[in-house]
Amino acid sequence: MRVRRCDGLKGEVRVSGAKNAALPLLAASLLVERFELENFPVLLDTLYALRILELLGREVELLPGRVSVKGGISSVRIPYEISSLFRGSLLFLGGLLGAVGRAEVAHPGGCAIGSRPIDQHLKFLSHIGAEVELEGGFVKVKLPPEPKARAFTFDLITVTGTENALLTLAGLRGEFELHNAALEPEVLDLVEFLKKLGLEVEVKGRSFLVRSPGRENLKREVSHRTIPDRIEAGTFLVAGALLGEPLTVKGLEVSHLGAVLEKLREAGAEPEVLSPSEVRIRRVERPRALEVQTAPYPGFPTDMQAQFMAMLTLADGVSLIVENIFENRFQHALELARLGASVEVRGKTAIVRGVERLKGAPVNATDLRASAALVLAGLVAEGETVVGKIGHLLRGYEDLDGKLRRLGCDAELF
Ligand code: EPU
């Protein structure tokens, strides 16, 4: 994407449905005969997920703003050609297990932001008595008719691990306790969907008590609306803190953005909450330096770390960013340095020394959120910035260039 320095972002922007909510919901669609999802974000990752549903035998219809899925499941195998394209493919393991009790999913492999093992997903399955085999790059799983155990505690907090467990449990009749679960809004949105199917789920702290009527007794037809993308919203709020004249971000969910709004305030921005779904933000003369530590929700999201780093490259003072979730999620630091930023990475800490200005240059996106950070930096850097390997961005941001153009900036995909 080519981005030129922008004088100001003026007007309103509406955020799309959340990618990381739509993906588990599409996997959950395997549990019902007919499924409709509104506020559906059209992105590479969600389109890949629709392709998986088709490969499994489902009929998919993509309409403006929504998707409908129906028909039977004729295969339980997800080939490497598609699973390797996106990590979210792993959610179809849980979806298939919940729906039919069997799945063969090609291991999605590592990813640019860390080794990303799936041991917790498999540990849960073995714990409930599933046969788990790793063969020829595939994870092959067969569920027992009844779970062997009725409680499981995750060793660490995992978002898709929790979602996979919930999807699997939807198919198994009876009560089950999940402890040390992830509480990200996207996980809780899946819980809301599963409740519509007939599950009872109580959330107490980081524990879920799940009661399922069993796969034969689930509701057959369900529709749902995807929650707003809190990371896209956060990305625009950072853009607003850099360039808002003012910028109003609409269609978000303020209650999902607590840690992000808090850090923006600490940086000197004054986000005004106009309603539970609208925030107005103006540019800050010079952001104040911050200390940011990523943590599972409700902590500061790792998916906003790169965008905050882009903002802090121009801060007044020295910022410290600690990445606690992924071990290799600072690759954007080197790319930001190409624009004149001063970032030193020491293990899981990045030390960002604020500079007066950035200068446009060719850079490469290293992962999805890194690509958004480079676009943000490109908007404030002198001259022109060309962000290469933009395929990463297309996996998770719907029409980012179009949205930026409508706010008065010069951003162009080519
Ligand atoms: N982990 C393990 N073993 C496991 C599972 C996870 O060691 O079996 C580790 C991971 O390596 C990581 C930590 O646990 O260090 C947390 O990973 P988690 O499983 O929560 O991440 P994920 O479920 O693979 C989702 C999002 C990511 C987001 C993370 C953290 C989806 C499809 N992906 O990934 O989103 O960064 O949670 O919030 O929901 C993105 O959208 O750009 C993105 C990377």
Side-chain angles (χ1 to χ4, degrees):
M1 190 188 302
R2 185 180 297 114
V3 191
R4 290 202 181 82
R5 184 194 176 101
C6 181
D7 292 334
L9 290 167
K10 200 174 164 97
E12 297 177 351
V13 63
R14 178 167 289 279
V15 300
S16 300
K19 163 182 89 81
N20 288 348
L23 293 174
L25 291 168
L26 290 174
S29 76
L30 290 167
L31 296 160
V32 290
E33 272 168 27
R34 291 181 83 96
F35 166 82
E36 262 210 27
L37 189 59
E38 285 173 42
N39 200 26
F40 178 75
V42 180
L43 309 162
L44 280 185
D45 274 17
T46 54
L47 294 175
Y48 295 148
L50 295 184
R51 182 68 194 130
I52 288 185
L53 287 171
E54 285 176 341
L55 289 171
L56 299 178
R58 307 280 276 169
E59 280 172 50
V60 172
E61 195 180 0
L62 183 57
L63 302 155
R66 69 196 164 96
V67 66
S68 81
V69 181
K70 61 182 181 187
I73 297 173
S74 56
S75 163
V76 296
R77 193 173 166 87
I78 301 179
Y80 187 58
E81 290 69 35
I82 186 108
S83 78
S84 58
L85 295 176
F86 71 123
R87 176 86 183 170
S89 58
L90 191 58
L91 290 162
F92 289 84
L93 176 65
L96 281 167
L97 292 175
V100 294
R102 280 189 312 124
E104 295 181 9
V105 179
H107 192 303
C111 164
I113 58 177
S115 62
R116 302 185 81 179
I118 61 168
D119 58 299
Q120 294 301 306
H121 301 241
L122 303 184
K123 192 173 174 190
F124 162 77
L125 292 171
S126 302
H127 185 77
I128 62 168
E131 285 170 32
V132 181
E133 228 185 301
L134 298 175
E135 196 196 290
F138 277 78
V139 183
K140 297 185 178 177
V141 185
K142 191 161 177 263
L143 280 191
E146 294 250 322
K148 214 173 73 183
R150 291 280 171 190
F152 179 75
T153 304
F154 288 102
D155 294 335
L156 48 81
I157 295 167
T158 157
V159 174
T160 50
T162 303
E163 291 165 345
N164 256 338
L166 289 167
L167 289 163
T168 304
L169 291 172
L172 293 168
R173 190 202 306 265
E175 264 189 27
F176 199 94
E177 287 173 28
L178 276 181
H179 300 294
N180 202 24
L183 297 175
E184 269 62 8
E186 296 75 20
V187 179
L188 297 184
D189 191 37
L190 174 65
V191 165
E192 286 311 308
F193 178 79
L194 294 175
K195 284 185 183 168
K196 289 185 184 172
L197 260 63
L199 270 77
E200 288 171 38
V201 185
E202 278 174 52
V203 184
K204 283 192 188 152
R206 285 210 174 268
S207 295
F208 293 167
L209 175 61
V210 183
R211 270 186 224 100
S212 172
R215 67 173 66 88
E216 307 76 27
N217 301 312
L218 297 176
K219 215 171 152 205
R220 308 246 174 260
E221 206 172 314
V222 181
S223 60
H224 197 72
R225 188 178 167 79
T226 321
I227 56 171
D229 195 314
R230 65 191 165 102
I231 305 302
E232 187 197 7
T235 304
F236 276 112
L237 288 172
V238 171
L242 289 168
L243 287 162
E245 294 213 314
L247 171 67
T248 303
V249 188
K250 297 182 101 163
L252 47 70
E253 174 56 60
V254 169
S255 64
H256 294 167
L257 284 158
V260 170
L261 290 171
E262 195 48 51
K263 283 292 163 193
L264 284 169
R265 285 189 193 106
E266 241 182 271
E270 288 173 12
E272 285 170 79
V273 176
L274 303 179
S275 78
S277 63
E278 267 175 302
V279 177
R280 185 163 55 202
I281 188 160
R282 282 166 210 278
R283 85 164 82 207
V284 192
E285 203 44 60
R286 196 164 182 204
R288 284 198 284 268
L290 294 179
E291 282 188 23
V292 180
Q293 293 237 12
T294 65
Y297 188 85
F300 185 88
T302 173
D303 290 345
M304 283 301 303
Q305 180 258 106
Q307 300 88 318
F308 264 69
M309 185 186 286
M311 176 177 82
L312 294 173
T313 60
L314 292 171
D316 185 10
V318 181
S319 300
L320 289 182
I321 303 179
V322 182
E323 173 55 61
N324 289 313
I325 308 293
F326 291 111
E327 72 274 17
N328 192 21
R329 208 176 197 180
F330 279 141
Q331 293 171 75
H332 41 278
L334 271 179
E335 299 301 306
L336 287 168
R338 295 177 53 75
L339 301 175
S342 166
V343 186
E344 187 187 336
V345 175
R346 287 196 203 154
K348 61 179 194 169
T349 303
I351 303 155
V352 187
R353 294 186 177 83
V355 293
E356 296 271 336
R357 64 185 65 83
L358 300 178
K359 201 161 181 316
V363 286
N364 272 329
T366 47
D367 67 67
L368 165 56
R369 307 303 169 186
S371 61
L374 293 170
V375 169
L376 289 175
L379 290 173
V380 284
E382 284 165 15
E384 182 178 282
T385 298
V386 175
V387 185
K389 303 206 172 147
I390 206 68
H392 291 294
L393 187 94
L394 305 179
R395 288 190 34 226
Y397 285 88
E398 192 175 48
D399 191 27
L400 183 63
D401 55 318
K403 288 181 180 182
L404 289 172
R405 277 197 301 277
R406 288 192 285 283
L407 294 170
C409 283
D410 191 352
E412 190 191 354
L413 264 183
F414 63 96

